[in-house]
Amino acid sequence: MSFSSSGNAAQAFAESVTPPVSPDERPTSPCERRESDLLRAMTASSASHSSPVEKPAGAQRLPSHERPSWRRPGSTTSASASRPDDPSRRRGRPRDSSKDEAIKSAVIQVLIDDGYAGVTVDGVAATAGVGRATIYRRWSTMPDLVAEALRDLGSSSIETPDTGSLEEDALVLLRWLIGAVNGPLGTVTLSLPRDFGALSAFSTGPLEAWKSAFARTWDRWTPCNGDRDTFIRGSAVADAASDPVVHQWLFSDQIVPTALADEVLKCVISPLTSPTPQLATWINRREQLHRTC
């Protein structure tokens, strides 16, 4: 409420409760005189507030950026304080990202030790060293937590090796693939239910990244040179080279031996460095069929 409206209201109230009196009817008792003086003072104060202040001639209003600021240093305005995205107005402690990593590492460890059926909030919290509420504040369901942990585990990128020869580059990549299926990622992928989509995530994640790296290596060492009959695309060789490793990983109860990389290099990759036209055609058709399926 403005000063003018409050002053008018006070003046109206004073006039309603104090009828006009003549000089002969002034209050005689001390209480009546004090009450009369108080009402007159209220009326005079409200009238002074309600009277408008005249501006000097030629006075202009200063722009907002030139007006003096009476705020304390470091204080925020009401507009900035009311914005929900203002970091200075957020309440509570900021979320600790290290706990996120600890929880995701813990759920991977529980999956390796007890399988998907043994994953519980209490077990993950105890392994991570956090409380149950810390997990509930970050993930609404356990499948969401497992999916994010698996996605982070399989998001490692593969650098294309450059050892100086195709055989050594292929060995480096094959050994990386064997280490991936024997490691936590491969163990967790096999422990999850089929309807969880873990195998599909592995195929579109780490396995696809490995095939791309292998195809780049192959195409760098075996250029086309204009002879399409004997040229085999790197993606086709990558499929043929990864199949023995993935097959033994899926259908064997034992870990994939590292020596399998040398066997794949000798029996699969080396014969394709100088293939016959018939073999090259068959490999390329196999790749096309694999892509359509």
Side-chain angles (χ1 to χ4, degrees):
M1 182 181 295
S2 62
F3 283 111
S4 59
S5 58
S6 60
N8 295 335
Q11 185 175 4
F13 173 77
E15 292 175 356
S16 63
V17 298
T18 56
V21 295
S22 61
D24 299 333
E25 297 177 350
R26 295 188 183 279
T28 56
S29 65
C31 293
E32 292 179 353
R33 285 197 299 270
R34 283 196 298 268
E35 181 179 1
S36 178
D37 294 341
L38 178 61
L39 290 176
R40 282 197 300 271
M42 291 174 58
T43 304
S45 176
S46 62
S48 63
H49 283 303
S50 60
S51 59
V53 179
E54 295 184 358
K55 295 182 179 180
Q60 296 182 354
R61 185 179 178 87
L62 292 175
S64 58
H65 65 277
E66 296 182 3
R67 298 175 196 167
S69 176
W70 302 101
R71 297 189 300 272
R72 293 180 179 179
S75 63
T76 57
T77 60
S78 58
S80 62
S82 61
R83 289 196 296 264
D85 57 345
D86 188 359
S88 62
R89 301 297 299 175
R90 294 176 182 173
R91 297 181 178 180
R93 294 178 296 178
R95 197 166 107 173
D96 190 357
S97 59
S98 62
K99 291 185 178 179
D100 294 11
E101 300 302 324
I103 294 171
K104 287 186 283 190
S105 299
V107 76
I108 294 297
Q109 188 61 45
V110 174
L111 282 169
I112 295 174
D113 296 339
D114 304 327
Y116 185 72
V119 177
T120 61
V121 176
D122 291 332
V124 174
T127 305
V130 299
R132 292 166 53 94
T134 305
I135 299 177
Y136 287 129
R137 281 195 296 265
R138 288 163 168 80
W139 295 277
S140 56
T141 63
M142 184 57 66
D144 293 340
L145 169 57
V146 174
E148 183 173 344
L150 185 64
R151 184 169 56 252
D152 291 352
L153 187 62
S155 63
S156 57
S157 59
I158 308 173
E159 295 183 0
T160 305
D162 189 6
T163 61
S165 68
L166 172 61
E167 289 76 11
E168 291 298 325
D169 289 351
L171 274 178
V172 171
L173 291 172
L174 285 170
R175 288 168 182 168
W176 184 94
L177 180 60
I178 293 175
V181 297
N182 288 336
L185 179 60
T187 305
V188 170
T189 301
L190 293 180
S191 68
L192 294 175
R194 184 174 297 273
D195 56 356
F196 198 88
L199 287 176
S200 177
F202 182 87
S203 299
T204 58
L207 186 58
E208 188 64 30
W210 181 88
K211 289 181 178 180
S212 299
F214 189 95
R216 291 192 299 269
T217 301
W218 177 270
D219 294 340
R220 186 179 72 243
W221 285 104
T222 57
C224 177
N225 293 329
D227 188 2
R228 299 301 303 180
D229 293 335
T230 60
F231 175 71
I232 301 178
R233 288 183 294 272
S235 55
V237 182
D239 288 336
S242 62
D243 282 351
V245 178
V246 174
H247 183 274
Q248 189 161 347
W249 168 55
L250 292 177
F251 300 103
S252 176
D253 295 335
Q254 300 177 355
I255 63 173
V256 181
T258 308
L260 183 60
D262 298 278
E263 295 181 15
V264 173
L265 176 64
K266 179 181 178 180
C267 301
V268 179
I269 298 177
S270 294
L272 297 179
T273 55
S274 57
T276 61
Q278 293 81 5
L279 180 58
T281 302
W282 181 83
I283 290 293
N284 288 329
R285 287 180 178 176
R286 179 185 177 277
E287 183 204 12
Q288 294 175 0
L289 179 62
H290 179 76
R291 297 300 180 188
T292 56
C293 295

Short mmCIF file of all heavy atoms in Angstrom, two decimals, residues 20-66:
data_model
loop_
_atom_site.label_atom_id
_atom_site.label_comp_id
_atom_site.label_asym_id
_atom_site.label_seq_id
_atom_site.Cartn_x
_atom_site.Cartn_y
_atom_site.Cartn_z
N PRO A 20 -15.99 17.12 15.08
CA PRO A 20 -15.46 18.48 15.29
C PRO A 20 -15.98 19.08 16.58
O PRO A 20 -17.14 18.92 16.94
CB PRO A 20 -15.98 19.24 14.05
CG PRO A 20 -17.14 18.44 13.57
CD PRO A 20 -16.86 17.02 13.90
N VAL A 21 -15.11 19.78 17.27
CA VAL A 21 -15.47 20.40 18.55
C VAL A 21 -15.21 21.88 18.46
O VAL A 21 -14.30 22.33 17.74
CB VAL A 21 -14.66 19.78 19.71
CG1 VAL A 21 -15.04 18.33 19.90
CG2 VAL A 21 -13.17 19.92 19.46
N SER A 22 -15.96 22.59 19.16
CA SER A 22 -15.78 24.04 19.21
C SER A 22 -14.76 24.39 20.28
O SER A 22 -14.44 23.56 21.14
CB SER A 22 -17.12 24.73 19.51
OG SER A 22 -17.60 24.30 20.77
N PRO A 23 -14.24 25.66 20.23
CA PRO A 23 -13.26 26.03 21.28
C PRO A 23 -13.81 25.92 22.69
O PRO A 23 -13.05 25.71 23.63
CB PRO A 23 -12.88 27.46 20.92
CG PRO A 23 -13.15 27.55 19.44
CD PRO A 23 -14.34 26.68 19.20
N ASP A 24 -15.17 26.10 22.83
CA ASP A 24 -15.75 26.04 24.17
C ASP A 24 -15.89 24.61 24.67
O ASP A 24 -16.17 24.40 25.86
CB ASP A 24 -17.12 26.74 24.18
CG ASP A 24 -16.98 28.21 23.80
OD1 ASP A 24 -15.88 28.78 24.04
OD2 ASP A 24 -17.97 28.76 23.24
N GLU A 25 -15.80 23.62 23.76
CA GLU A 25 -16.04 22.23 24.15
C GLU A 25 -14.75 21.42 24.17
O GLU A 25 -14.72 20.24 23.90
CB GLU A 25 -17.02 21.57 23.17
CG GLU A 25 -18.38 22.22 23.16
CD GLU A 25 -19.31 21.60 22.14
OE1 GLU A 25 -18.82 20.79 21.31
OE2 GLU A 25 -20.50 21.92 22.17
N ARG A 26 -13.60 22.04 24.45
CA ARG A 26 -12.34 21.31 24.49
C ARG A 26 -12.33 20.40 25.70
O ARG A 26 -12.91 20.72 26.73
CB ARG A 26 -11.16 22.30 24.55
CG ARG A 26 -11.05 23.15 23.30
CD ARG A 26 -9.79 23.95 23.31
NE ARG A 26 -9.72 24.81 22.15
CZ ARG A 26 -9.33 24.40 20.95
NH1 ARG A 26 -8.97 23.15 20.79
NH2 ARG A 26 -9.30 25.26 19.93
N PRO A 27 -11.62 19.23 25.59
CA PRO A 27 -11.57 18.29 26.73
C PRO A 27 -10.86 18.92 27.91
O PRO A 27 -9.90 19.69 27.76
CB PRO A 27 -10.80 17.10 26.17
CG PRO A 27 -10.03 17.64 25.01
CD PRO A 27 -10.86 18.76 24.45
N THR A 28 -11.35 18.61 29.06
CA THR A 28 -10.80 19.17 30.29
C THR A 28 -9.96 18.16 31.05
O THR A 28 -8.97 18.54 31.68
CB THR A 28 -11.94 19.69 31.18
OG1 THR A 28 -12.85 18.59 31.40
CG2 THR A 28 -12.68 20.82 30.50
N SER A 29 -10.31 16.86 30.98
CA SER A 29 -9.56 15.86 31.76
C SER A 29 -8.24 15.56 31.06
O SER A 29 -8.13 15.68 29.83
CB SER A 29 -10.38 14.60 31.93
OG SER A 29 -10.59 13.98 30.65
N PRO A 30 -7.21 15.15 31.80
CA PRO A 30 -5.92 14.80 31.17
C PRO A 30 -6.02 13.69 30.14
O PRO A 30 -5.38 13.73 29.11
CB PRO A 30 -5.05 14.42 32.37
CG PRO A 30 -5.68 15.08 33.54
CD PRO A 30 -7.15 15.11 33.26
N CYS A 31 -6.83 12.67 30.41
CA CYS A 31 -6.95 11.55 29.46
C CYS A 31 -7.57 12.01 28.15
O CYS A 31 -7.13 11.62 27.06
CB CYS A 31 -7.80 10.44 30.09
SG CYS A 31 -7.01 9.63 31.49
N GLU A 32 -8.62 12.83 28.26
CA GLU A 32 -9.26 13.32 27.04
C GLU A 32 -8.31 14.22 26.25
O GLU A 32 -8.31 14.19 25.01
CB GLU A 32 -10.54 14.09 27.40
CG GLU A 32 -11.63 13.18 27.95
CD GLU A 32 -12.86 13.97 28.33
OE1 GLU A 32 -12.78 15.22 28.27
OE2 GLU A 32 -13.88 13.35 28.66
N ARG A 33 -7.50 15.03 26.93
CA ARG A 33 -6.57 15.88 26.20
C ARG A 33 -5.49 15.05 25.48
O ARG A 33 -5.12 15.35 24.35
CB ARG A 33 -5.90 16.87 27.19
CG ARG A 33 -6.84 18.01 27.61
CD ARG A 33 -6.05 19.16 28.21
NE ARG A 33 -5.31 18.75 29.40
CZ ARG A 33 -5.79 18.79 30.65
NH1 ARG A 33 -7.03 19.26 30.86
NH2 ARG A 33 -5.06 18.40 31.68
N ARG A 34 -4.97 14.05 26.15
CA ARG A 34 -3.97 13.21 25.50
C ARG A 34 -4.55 12.49 24.28
O ARG A 34 -3.90 12.36 23.23
CB ARG A 34 -3.42 12.18 26.50
CG ARG A 34 -2.43 12.79 27.47
CD ARG A 34 -1.62 11.72 28.18
NE ARG A 34 -2.49 10.84 28.98
CZ ARG A 34 -2.76 11.06 30.26
NH1 ARG A 34 -2.26 12.13 30.89
NH2 ARG A 34 -3.53 10.25 30.93
N GLU A 35 -5.78 12.01 24.38
CA GLU A 35 -6.40 11.32 23.25
C GLU A 35 -6.62 12.30 22.10
O GLU A 35 -6.38 11.97 20.93
CB GLU A 35 -7.73 10.71 23.68
CG GLU A 35 -8.42 9.95 22.54
CD GLU A 35 -9.73 9.33 23.00
OE1 GLU A 35 -10.09 9.53 24.18
OE2 GLU A 35 -10.37 8.65 22.19
N SER A 36 -7.04 13.51 22.39
CA SER A 36 -7.27 14.50 21.35
C SER A 36 -5.95 14.90 20.68
O SER A 36 -5.88 15.02 19.46
CB SER A 36 -7.96 15.73 21.95
OG SER A 36 -8.14 16.71 20.95
N ASP A 37 -4.90 15.09 21.49
CA ASP A 37 -3.60 15.44 20.90
C ASP A 37 -3.07 14.32 20.01
O ASP A 37 -2.47 14.56 18.95
CB ASP A 37 -2.60 15.75 22.02
CG ASP A 37 -2.99 17.01 22.80
OD1 ASP A 37 -3.79 17.80 22.25
OD2 ASP A 37 -2.51 17.16 23.93
N LEU A 38 -3.27 13.07 20.43
CA LEU A 38 -2.79 11.93 19.63
C LEU A 38 -3.50 11.85 18.30
O LEU A 38 -2.89 11.62 17.25
CB LEU A 38 -2.97 10.63 20.43
CG LEU A 38 -2.54 9.35 19.72
CD1 LEU A 38 -1.06 9.39 19.37
CD2 LEU A 38 -2.85 8.14 20.59
N LEU A 39 -4.79 12.04 18.27
CA LEU A 39 -5.55 12.00 17.02
C LEU A 39 -5.14 13.14 16.09
O LEU A 39 -5.06 12.96 14.87
CB LEU A 39 -7.05 12.07 17.33
CG LEU A 39 -7.64 10.80 17.99
CD1 LEU A 39 -9.11 11.04 18.33
CD2 LEU A 39 -7.50 9.60 17.05
N ARG A 40 -4.90 14.33 16.64
CA ARG A 40 -4.48 15.44 15.80
C ARG A 40 -3.09 15.17 15.20
O ARG A 40 -2.82 15.50 14.05
CB ARG A 40 -4.47 16.75 16.60
CG ARG A 40 -5.85 17.35 16.79
CD ARG A 40 -5.75 18.81 17.22
NE ARG A 40 -5.02 18.94 18.49
CZ ARG A 40 -5.59 18.90 19.69
NH1 ARG A 40 -6.91 18.70 19.77
NH2 ARG A 40 -4.88 19.03 20.78
N ALA A 41 -2.20 14.55 15.99
CA ALA A 41 -0.87 14.23 15.47
C ALA A 41 -0.94 13.20 14.35
O ALA A 41 -0.22 13.30 13.35
CB ALA A 41 0.01 13.72 16.61
N MET A 42 -1.82 12.18 14.50
CA MET A 42 -1.99 11.18 13.45
C MET A 42 -2.53 11.83 12.18
O MET A 42 -2.10 11.50 11.06
CB MET A 42 -2.93 10.07 13.92
CG MET A 42 -2.35 9.19 15.01
SD MET A 42 -3.56 8.00 15.64
CE MET A 42 -3.97 7.13 14.14
N THR A 43 -3.47 12.73 12.30
CA THR A 43 -4.04 13.39 11.14
C THR A 43 -3.00 14.25 10.42
O THR A 43 -2.90 14.25 9.19
CB THR A 43 -5.23 14.26 11.58
OG1 THR A 43 -6.17 13.44 12.27
CG2 THR A 43 -5.89 14.91 10.37
N ALA A 44 -2.17 14.97 11.19
CA ALA A 44 -1.15 15.81 10.57
C ALA A 44 -0.08 14.96 9.87
O ALA A 44 0.41 15.30 8.79
CB ALA A 44 -0.50 16.70 11.63
N SER A 45 0.28 13.82 10.49
CA SER A 45 1.30 12.96 9.87
C SER A 45 0.80 12.34 8.58
O SER A 45 1.52 12.28 7.58
CB SER A 45 1.70 11.85 10.86
OG SER A 45 2.60 10.96 10.26
N SER A 46 -0.44 11.87 8.56
CA SER A 46 -0.98 11.27 7.34
C SER A 46 -1.12 12.31 6.24
O SER A 46 -0.91 12.02 5.06
CB SER A 46 -2.34 10.62 7.63
OG SER A 46 -3.27 11.61 8.08
N ALA A 47 -1.45 13.53 6.59
CA ALA A 47 -1.59 14.57 5.58
C ALA A 47 -0.24 14.92 4.97
O ALA A 47 -0.12 15.17 3.77
CB ALA A 47 -2.23 15.82 6.20
N SER A 48 0.82 14.91 5.81
CA SER A 48 2.14 15.22 5.25
C SER A 48 2.64 14.13 4.32
O SER A 48 3.31 14.38 3.33
CB SER A 48 3.14 15.42 6.40
OG SER A 48 3.29 14.21 7.14
N HIS A 49 2.28 12.85 4.62
CA HIS A 49 2.70 11.75 3.74
C HIS A 49 1.91 11.74 2.45
O HIS A 49 2.42 11.34 1.40
CB HIS A 49 2.53 10.41 4.46
CG HIS A 49 3.60 10.15 5.47
ND1 HIS A 49 4.94 10.12 5.14
CD2 HIS A 49 3.52 9.91 6.81
CE1 HIS A 49 5.65 9.87 6.23
NE2 HIS A 49 4.81 9.74 7.25
N SER A 50 0.66 12.11 2.51
CA SER A 50 -0.18 12.04 1.32
C SER A 50 0.08 13.18 0.34
O SER A 50 -0.28 13.09 -0.82
CB SER A 50 -1.67 12.05 1.71
OG SER A 50 -1.97 13.25 2.41
N SER A 51 0.70 14.26 0.79
CA SER A 51 0.95 15.37 -0.12
C SER A 51 2.07 15.00 -1.07
O SER A 51 3.13 14.55 -0.64
CB SER A 51 1.32 16.63 0.69
OG SER A 51 2.48 16.36 1.45
N PRO A 52 1.89 15.17 -2.37
CA PRO A 52 2.93 14.80 -3.33
C PRO A 52 4.13 15.74 -3.22
O PRO A 52 4.00 16.91 -2.91
CB PRO A 52 2.24 14.93 -4.68
CG PRO A 52 1.14 15.93 -4.45
CD PRO A 52 0.70 15.73 -3.03
N VAL A 53 5.32 15.16 -3.51
CA VAL A 53 6.55 15.93 -3.48
C VAL A 53 6.80 16.49 -4.87
O VAL A 53 6.82 15.74 -5.84
CB VAL A 53 7.74 15.06 -3.03
CG1 VAL A 53 9.03 15.86 -3.04
CG2 VAL A 53 7.46 14.49 -1.65
N GLU A 54 6.98 17.77 -4.96
CA GLU A 54 7.20 18.40 -6.25
C GLU A 54 8.67 18.28 -6.64
O GLU A 54 9.56 18.53 -5.84
CB GLU A 54 6.81 19.89 -6.18
CG GLU A 54 5.33 20.11 -5.93
CD GLU A 54 4.97 21.58 -5.96
OE1 GLU A 54 5.93 22.39 -6.14
OE2 GLU A 54 3.80 21.91 -5.79
N LYS A 55 8.92 17.84 -7.89
CA LYS A 55 10.27 17.72 -8.40
C LYS A 55 10.77 19.08 -8.86
O LYS A 55 9.99 19.90 -9.36
CB LYS A 55 10.33 16.73 -9.56
CG LYS A 55 9.98 15.32 -9.16
CD LYS A 55 10.11 14.41 -10.37
CE LYS A 55 9.78 12.97 -9.98
NZ LYS A 55 9.91 12.05 -11.14
N PRO A 56 12.05 19.32 -8.72
CA PRO A 56 12.60 20.59 -9.23
C PRO A 56 12.44 20.67 -10.74
O PRO A 56 12.36 19.66 -11.44
CB PRO A 56 14.07 20.53 -8.81
CG PRO A 56 14.14 19.50 -7.74
CD PRO A 56 13.05 18.53 -8.02
N ALA A 57 12.39 21.89 -11.23
CA ALA A 57 12.25 22.08 -12.67
C ALA A 57 13.48 21.56 -13.39
O ALA A 57 14.60 21.84 -12.99
CB ALA A 57 12.06 23.58 -12.98
N GLY A 58 13.25 20.81 -14.44
CA GLY A 58 14.35 20.27 -15.24
C GLY A 58 14.96 18.99 -14.70
O GLY A 58 15.93 18.49 -15.26
N ALA A 59 14.40 18.45 -13.59
CA ALA A 59 14.95 17.22 -13.02
C ALA A 59 14.56 16.03 -13.89
O ALA A 59 13.44 15.95 -14.39
CB ALA A 59 14.43 17.01 -11.60
N GLN A 60 15.48 15.08 -14.09
CA GLN A 60 15.25 13.88 -14.89
C GLN A 60 15.60 12.65 -14.06
O GLN A 60 16.48 12.69 -13.19
CB GLN A 60 16.11 13.91 -16.16
CG GLN A 60 15.76 15.04 -17.11
CD GLN A 60 16.61 14.99 -18.37
OE1 GLN A 60 17.52 14.19 -18.47
NE2 GLN A 60 16.31 15.88 -19.30
N ARG A 61 14.90 11.56 -14.38
CA ARG A 61 15.13 10.30 -13.68
C ARG A 61 16.39 9.64 -14.23
O ARG A 61 16.55 9.50 -15.43
CB ARG A 61 13.94 9.38 -13.86
CG ARG A 61 14.03 8.08 -13.06
CD ARG A 61 12.78 7.25 -13.30
NE ARG A 61 12.83 5.99 -12.60
CZ ARG A 61 12.44 5.81 -11.35
NH1 ARG A 61 11.97 6.85 -10.66
NH2 ARG A 61 12.51 4.63 -10.77
N LEU A 62 17.29 9.22 -13.34
CA LEU A 62 18.53 8.58 -13.76
C LEU A 62 18.24 7.19 -14.30
O LEU A 62 17.34 6.50 -13.82
CB LEU A 62 19.51 8.47 -12.58
CG LEU A 62 20.10 9.78 -12.06
CD1 LEU A 62 20.95 9.50 -10.83
CD2 LEU A 62 20.94 10.46 -13.14
N PRO A 63 19.03 6.74 -15.29
CA PRO A 63 18.89 5.34 -15.74
C PRO A 63 19.22 4.38 -14.61
O PRO A 63 19.88 4.73 -13.63
CB PRO A 63 19.91 5.24 -16.88
CG PRO A 63 20.19 6.65 -17.30
CD PRO A 63 20.00 7.48 -16.08
N SER A 64 18.72 3.15 -14.76
CA SER A 64 18.87 2.17 -13.68
C SER A 64 20.33 1.86 -13.39
O SER A 64 20.70 1.62 -12.24
CB SER A 64 18.14 0.88 -14.04
OG SER A 64 18.64 0.36 -15.27
N HIS A 65 21.20 1.86 -14.43
CA HIS A 65 22.60 1.51 -14.20
C HIS A 65 23.39 2.65 -13.58
O HIS A 65 24.54 2.45 -13.16
CB HIS A 65 23.26 1.07 -15.52
CG HIS A 65 23.34 2.18 -16.55
ND1 HIS A 65 22.27 2.48 -17.37
CD2 HIS A 65 24.34 3.04 -16.87
CE1 HIS A 65 22.61 3.48 -18.17
NE2 HIS A 65 23.85 3.85 -17.89
N GLU A 66 22.80 3.89 -13.52
CA GLU A 66 23.49 5.02 -12.91
C GLU A 66 22.96 5.36 -11.53
O GLU A 66 23.47 6.26 -10.87
CB GLU A 66 23.37 6.26 -13.82
CG GLU A 66 24.04 6.10 -15.18
CD GLU A 66 23.94 7.35 -16.00
OE1 GLU A 66 23.38 8.35 -15.47
OE2 GLU A 66 24.39 7.35 -17.16
#
